[in-house]
Amino acid sequence: MKDLLKSYYFNLQGWKTSRKILVIESDDWGGERLVSKQISEELIRNKWVSNTNYNRLDTLESAQDYYATIEVLRSVRDVHSNHAVLTANYVVSNPDYDKIASNKSSTYYYLPFTECYAKVKGSENTQTAMRQAIENKLFVPQFHGREHLQTCRWIKNLGQSKVLQAGFERNFFSFSRNEAGPLSYLSAFDYETEEERADVLQRIQEGCSLFENTFGFFPTTVIAPENTCNSSLLSDFEAIGFKGIQGSRMQKQTQIAEQNLPNLPRKLGMYSHQNLVSLVRNVTFEPSSSNKDFVSKALGEITAAFTLNKPAIICSHRVNYVGGISEANRNNSLNQLRELLKQVVKKWPTVEFMSSAQLSNCIEEN
């Protein structure tokens, strides 16, 4: 009840609409976190990482994952006869471990995520499945980073940390805060110096070029890895060409020169000093994280959003929809997603399914 009351409170501010708009935002597509169940078990057993759903279940997506998710999105239609759509936020590359190792771990190199697909056994149809999802407008790719990794921090500390080295030997880099040191290695837009800030911007620009080469269009919205992004980057985002910023109600800021910068509250609508749209997630749907009834939880949060004339923007990470380590994980999440979407169209017959880019355009036009 307390969490539901918070949902109503947080929906009071920001852009309003009488339309029943539903957006599903899903981060981490293209990212290579775990390569096998064995690696996951070793990492957790040695207490190098915490025992989370990400460190147990999150693998590079497969053709089967795409096709299974497509089937569920196709199972419902909105008031305009459009199927449900998933805004898939891609990291477009991963570390090239072999090349980094051959250069004694002193220089960072990356592989496009499509080349990572090709390295996985039985992955011959993964790109075909991805293209099918996009061409049928069931997946709409957007930008989550060149990689889900603060590369400067990782390369700098790789030779000095036994935990980082153990991860490297297992093709794993995804260490969160206080696992391989006080700072997270997943916050790709994080920086501590102006030199690192310049590197972050270069990686974002390179990532956008790789994104455009892969998908054939420039991303219009961006979500910072781990929702960590200094507010000073907003003007750079506008110059790069982004139109909207996805994220949660609170934006974590980078820690420059050991300054303890506060988290920044965000509200739905236009930023006051930039020509950018702020998209704020107000529904959580993460079935892989626990045994909670996420259908009921999400329905309550969608009700709060629609009651207060807000679009419902669902946060639902890729880890829920991949079965490389556990097909039961994918099947359970998709069964719950199917039920959620079924109940949404029944309860709100005028619901409209949109991508983040479509909602961003809608807010900007109004």
Side-chain angles (χ1 to χ4, degrees):
M1 178 61 71
K2 185 178 179 181
D3 288 341
L4 190 56
L5 288 174
K6 284 183 180 180
S7 293
Y8 280 88
Y9 173 77
F10 285 119
N11 279 303
L12 289 171
Q13 294 186 324
W15 184 79
K16 296 180 183 295
T17 179
S18 60
R19 297 163 66 182
K20 304 295 188 281
I21 298 171
L22 187 138
V23 176
I24 305 173
E25 295 180 343
S26 185
D27 301 344
D28 301 340
W29 296 83
E32 188 176 51
R33 190 179 187 112
L34 294 165
V35 296
S36 71
K37 182 178 181 180
Q38 178 185 346
I39 296 301
S40 166
E41 292 173 345
E42 287 181 10
L43 292 165
I44 293 171
R45 183 174 63 249
N46 287 288
K47 298 184 178 180
W48 292 325
V49 298
S50 53
N51 187 4
T52 67
N53 57 325
Y54 296 101
N55 292 328
R56 293 192 309 271
L57 301 166
D58 200 12
T59 60
L60 195 63
E61 59 274 6
S62 67
Q64 291 83 358
D65 298 329
Y66 276 116
Y67 288 135
T69 307
I70 287 171
E71 181 186 354
V72 172
L73 296 173
R74 278 181 169 157
S75 68
V76 292
R77 291 182 182 269
D78 68 7
V79 68
H80 303 300
S81 293
N82 295 317
H83 294 297
V85 58
L86 186 142
T87 298
N89 296 310
Y90 281 83
V91 287
V92 292
S93 75
N94 294 287
D96 186 337
Y97 293 96
D98 292 340
K99 198 169 182 179
I100 294 170
S102 68
N103 284 271
K104 300 181 180 179
S105 303
S106 61
T107 305
Y108 182 78
Y109 299 94
Y110 64 85
L111 274 176
F113 79 97
T114 50
E115 293 186 29
C116 297
Y117 282 173
K119 290 170 60 180
V120 178
K121 184 179 179 180
S123 65
E124 296 82 4
N125 297 320
T126 304
Q127 282 202 62
T128 301
M130 179 186 76
R131 300 291 178 193
Q132 181 179 325
I134 295 168
E135 289 168 6
N136 286 284
K137 300 180 180 179
L138 298 164
F139 273 54
V140 176
Q142 290 297 303
F143 189 68
H144 195 28
R146 194 186 73 179
E147 55 271 299
H148 208 309
L149 173 65
Q150 216 292 3
T151 59
C152 291
R153 182 177 298 159
W154 189 59
I155 287 294
K156 176 183 175 182
N157 296 325
L158 190 54
Q160 305 171 29
S161 167
K162 292 182 179 179
V163 174
L164 288 182
Q165 189 60 43
F168 185 88
E169 291 167 359
R170 293 162 176 80
N171 287 16
F172 181 88
F173 63 83
S174 304
F175 292 98
S176 298
R177 188 183 297 270
N178 296 321
E179 287 181 341
L183 298 177
S184 173
Y185 288 89
L186 290 165
S187 301
F189 295 179
D190 195 8
Y191 60 88
E192 298 175 80
T193 65
E194 286 301 314
E195 183 180 2
E196 285 190 3
R197 183 183 190 277
D199 182 78
V200 166
L201 287 173
Q202 180 182 342
R203 284 189 278 114
I204 292 172
Q205 290 168 331
E206 288 180 359
C208 286
S209 294
L210 184 52
F211 182 103
E212 189 168 17
N213 289 337
T214 303
F215 298 114
F217 62 92
F218 193 88
T220 55
T221 70
V222 57
I223 168 70
E226 291 202 311
N227 198 47
T228 300
C229 175
N230 192 284
S231 59
S232 69
L233 287 177
L234 294 180
S235 59
D236 297 296
F237 283 173
E238 185 179 359
I240 287 169
F242 296 125
K243 301 295 184 183
I245 313 294
Q246 302 175 39
S248 63
R249 296 176 181 125
M250 298 297 291
Q251 175 185 312
K252 291 180 282 187
Q253 291 205 87
T254 55
Q255 306 305 307
I256 308 170
E258 298 184 355
Q259 297 179 50
N260 188 22
L261 299 177
N263 293 341
L264 296 176
R266 302 173 70 246
K267 64 180 181 180
L268 184 69
M270 299 297 295
Y271 279 96
S272 58
H273 301 298
Q274 281 85 25
N275 188 31
L276 291 167
V277 174
S278 172
L279 300 174
V280 181
R281 297 171 178 180
N282 53 6
V283 181
T284 300
F285 186 75
E286 306 282 4
S288 72
S289 65
S290 74
N291 292 322
K292 288 181 182 178
D293 180 357
F294 273 94
V295 174
S296 296
K297 183 179 189 300
L299 282 171
E301 292 170 345
I302 293 169
T303 299
F306 287 168
T307 299
L308 294 171
N309 295 318
K310 291 289 191 299
I313 304 178
I314 300 174
C315 177
S316 191
H317 285 72
R318 178 198 62 179
V319 65
N320 299 289
Y321 307 114
V322 291
I325 288 178
S326 170
E327 289 188 10
N329 168 66
R330 180 187 66 211
N331 296 340
N332 172 61
S333 296
L334 286 176
N335 286 339
Q336 291 196 51
L337 179 62
R338 187 191 299 272
E339 181 62 24
L340 175 63
L341 293 173
K342 178 183 174 182
Q343 293 199 35
V344 164
V345 296
K346 181 179 180 180
K347 187 172 183 178
W348 296 283
T350 60
V351 69
E352 300 175 66
F353 297 131
M354 288 190 184
S355 67
S356 300
Q358 287 174 311
L359 177 57
S360 179
N361 291 337
C362 186
I363 294 172
E364 188 174 17
E365 291 169 359
N366 291 277

